[in-house]
Amino acid sequence: MEFNIALLKGDGIGPEIVDSAVAVLEKTAEKFGHKFNFTPYLIGGCAIDATGEPLPQETVDGCLASDSVLLGAVGGPKWDTLPGNKRPEKALLGIRSALGLFTNLRPAKLYPALKEASPLRADIVSKGFDLMIVRELTGGIYFGERGYREGKYGEEAYDTEAYSRMEIERIGRVAFDTAMKRNKKLISIDKANVLETSRLWREIMHKMAEEYPEVEYSDMLVDNAAMQLVKNPAQFDVIVTSNMFGDILSDEASQITGSIGMLASASLGATTRGMYEPIHGSAPDIAGQNKANPNATILSAAMMLRYSFGLAEEADCIEKAVDKVLEAGYRTADLLGGGEGTPLTCTEMTEKILEVL
Ligand code: NAD
């Protein structure tokens, strides 16, 4: 099969980690007989330097014309003093909205070889965990009506949460389909004991569950979910939740893995085109030093194969190669965390993965 991939390398360690992921994608294409065509576009600080804009129109058009988008990271101290709408990070919201990406998929997996990095107790991490958060990305309180008004106690600020049936149904569909591709267990997280939006959310999820008899479905209140994630993360497979709850819970879930350089993400819309990126930023402190851990970007590329191109076997192959390299004891500096051993450079880690592939 042949696919066109837009590359948004961005700033800081962005170019190093995207180059690593491209090498892994090329090796995978060679192994399985596919063809991936890569076209780079500017985004973030490098785009500001070249064109004055963090998200040039050419980048938007190029991404819209591609089958999928792989992003490194944007931002850095050089552009920190620019006004809000001219900053590199502004390009992220712009590109997500231009591509109509309403779903965020954030896996949080504990690699047995890296379990020491987790802040959780040994008896909790010994059970392992591998969960996927499906977060609604373009609705809810972050996009609702807001402002200031005169209230009961004088001036007050307000934000409103609104969810339409359409928005809940489309994120529910993604969540059930994702559960079908994994271990067929879905927990929907809401605050239905208080919020009207959560009651509608729950009603729609229950109805949809009838269409997916193979999926073991249940509800959980968000306050309980925040506790359960640190008490017993092994109980989760797929989680579906609203924009704000997903924002908070996905950061909690990534923190319990303890390894920011390992965490991938995907943003999806109504088509198969998605945007795939590591959850970390541009790491200006190590940029240009060949020290970055490329795995989060490599695993994001694997997600692209699975969720945008339907190449599950190829995605499995990349994920297993990363597992094997870690199990063999190879570590970039961030994974050693000051412990013993000689860290691999970004290029060396990539080469180890290519060898296994
Ligand atoms: P960061 O994630 O860039 O870095 C936090 C720490 O983690 C640093 O010590 C860094 O060296 C380390 N780190 C991150 N990724 C790593 C990797 N792959 N390998 C090894 N170590 C890694 O967060 P920050 O320092 O808060 O932000 C730096 C810049 O990135 C800022 O300009 C911020 O706005 C931007 N940012 C961009 C994105 C994005 O592009 N999606 C996300 C978050 C932050």
Side-chain angles (χ1 to χ4, degrees), residues 2 62 73 89 101 115 127-128 166 177 180 215 226 257 267 281 342:
E2 183 169 352
E89 292 81 357
L101 305 172
K115 61 178 190 297
K127 287 188 264 174
M166 184 280 287
D177 288 343
M180 286 298 287
V215 175
T257 69
S267 301
T342 312

Side-chain angles (χ1 to χ4, degrees), residues 13 73-76 89 92 260-261 277 280-286 292-293 334:
I13 59 170
V74 299
E89 292 81 357
L92 296 175
I260 192 175
E277 57 184 304
H280 59 71
S282 59
D285 50 335
I286 56 164
N293 181 349
D334 57 308

Side-chain angles (χ1 to χ4, degrees), residues 135-206:
R135 167 189 169 196
E136 201 289 327
L137 204 55
T138 54
I141 196 163
Y142 292 173
F143 292 88
E145 196 190 317
R146 72 194 57 199
Y148 284 82
R149 64 188 169 199
E150 211 43 45
K152 195 171 160 195
Y153 303 106
E155 190 193 25
E156 65 182 18
Y158 67 97
D159 300 277
T160 46
E161 165 111 338
Y163 265 114
S164 64
R165 270 186 192 277
M166 184 280 287
E167 289 171 303
I168 301 171
E169 276 166 7
R170 70 179 182 183
I171 193 73
R173 187 71 58 201
V174 177
F176 279 99
D177 288 343
T178 306
M180 286 298 287
K181 287 182 191 153
R182 292 175 45 105
N183 294 325
K184 301 193 172 70
K185 187 175 171 198
L186 176 65
I187 299 184
S188 169
I189 291 172
D190 62 33
K191 188 71 184 166
N193 54 346
V194 179
L195 300 177
E196 208 55 53
T197 40
S198 284
R199 286 192 272 270
L200 178 63
W201 180 282
R202 201 176 266 212
E203 176 202 312
I204 292 170
M205 291 294 164
H206 281 211

Side-chain angles (χ1 to χ4, degrees), residues 21-341:
V22 166
V24 168
L25 284 171
E26 277 178 337
K27 183 82 189 169
T28 310
E30 185 191 314
K31 189 177 156 92
F32 288 89
H34 303 302
K35 190 164 190 283
F36 299 141
N37 307 310
F38 300 99
T39 315
Y41 296 97
L42 294 173
I43 192 166
C46 60
I48 296 173
D49 289 351
T51 70
E53 291 297 325
L55 181 62
Q57 189 58 40
E58 193 194 342
T59 299
V60 175
D61 294 342
C63 291
L64 283 169
S66 71
D67 294 313
S68 225
V69 181
L70 183 64
L71 170 75
V74 299
K78 182 175 175 193
W79 306 281
D80 274 352
T81 49
L82 292 172
N85 63 343
K86 287 281 170 202
R87 286 184 54 145
E89 292 81 357
K90 181 80 185 154
L92 296 175
L93 287 180
I95 191 70
R96 283 178 194 141
S97 120
L99 297 176
L101 305 172
F102 60 81
T103 303
N104 189 230
L105 294 186
R106 283 261 296 255
K109 172 176 164 176
L110 183 85
Y111 288 85
L114 302 178
K115 61 178 190 297
E116 311 296 310
S118 171
L120 298 183
R121 256 192 355 239
D123 60 313
I124 299 173
V125 290
S126 66
K127 287 188 264 174
F129 59 87
D130 179 357
L131 60 94
M132 174 73 83
I133 298 188
V134 179
R135 167 189 169 196
E136 201 289 327
L137 204 55
T138 54
I141 196 163
Y142 292 173
F143 292 88
E145 196 190 317
R146 72 194 57 199
Y148 284 82
R149 64 188 169 199
E150 211 43 45
K152 195 171 160 195
Y153 303 106
E155 190 193 25
E156 65 182 18
Y158 67 97
D159 300 277
T160 46
E161 165 111 338
Y163 265 114
S164 64
R165 270 186 192 277
M166 184 280 287
E167 289 171 303
I168 301 171
E169 276 166 7
R170 70 179 182 183
I171 193 73
R173 187 71 58 201
V174 177
F176 279 99
D177 288 343
T178 306
M180 286 298 287
K181 287 182 191 153
R182 292 175 45 105
N183 294 325
K184 301 193 172 70
K185 187 175 171 198
L186 176 65
I187 299 184
S188 169
I189 291 172
D190 62 33
K191 188 71 184 166
N193 54 346
V194 179
L195 300 177
E196 208 55 53
T197 40
S198 284
R199 286 192 272 270
L200 178 63
W201 180 282
R202 201 176 266 212
E203 176 202 312
I204 292 170
M205 291 294 164
H206 281 211
K207 205 153 191 297
M208 206 170 266
E210 291 168 14
E211 291 177 45
Y212 293 83
E214 284 179 63
V215 175
E216 185 194 325
Y217 173 87
S218 55
D219 309 296
M220 192 179 276
L221 292 173
V222 64
D223 37 354
N224 185 25
M227 291 191 286
Q228 295 299 328
L229 267 175
V230 289
K231 207 173 149 200
N232 180 16
Q235 71 186 288
F236 296 102
D237 176 25
V238 179
I239 287 171
V240 60
T241 192
S242 64
N243 201 345
M244 181 164 67
F245 295 160
D247 187 10
I248 299 164
L249 294 176
S250 60
D251 269 12
E252 185 185 357
S254 60
Q255 200 53 43
I256 58 173
T257 69
S259 315
I260 192 175
M262 298 296 304
L263 295 166
S265 80
S267 301
L268 303 170
T271 68
T272 53
R273 188 193 310 109
M275 189 164 85
Y276 297 82
E277 57 184 304
I279 71 152
H280 59 71
S282 59
D285 50 335
I286 56 164
Q289 299 170 36
N290 200 12
K291 282 185 185 166
N293 181 349
N295 283 325
T297 317
I298 291 171
L299 293 167
S300 301
M303 289 184 82
M304 174 188 288
L305 299 188
R306 187 184 306 281
Y307 293 102
S308 281
F309 302 162
L311 302 176
E313 195 189 334
E314 290 80 343
D316 280 348
C317 189
I318 296 176
E319 287 162 0
K320 280 189 189 134
V322 171
D323 277 351
K324 272 196 177 164
V325 168
L326 294 176
E327 271 161 28
Y330 295 109
R331 303 281 186 271
T332 41
D334 57 308
L335 298 179
L336 280 175
E340 281 179 21

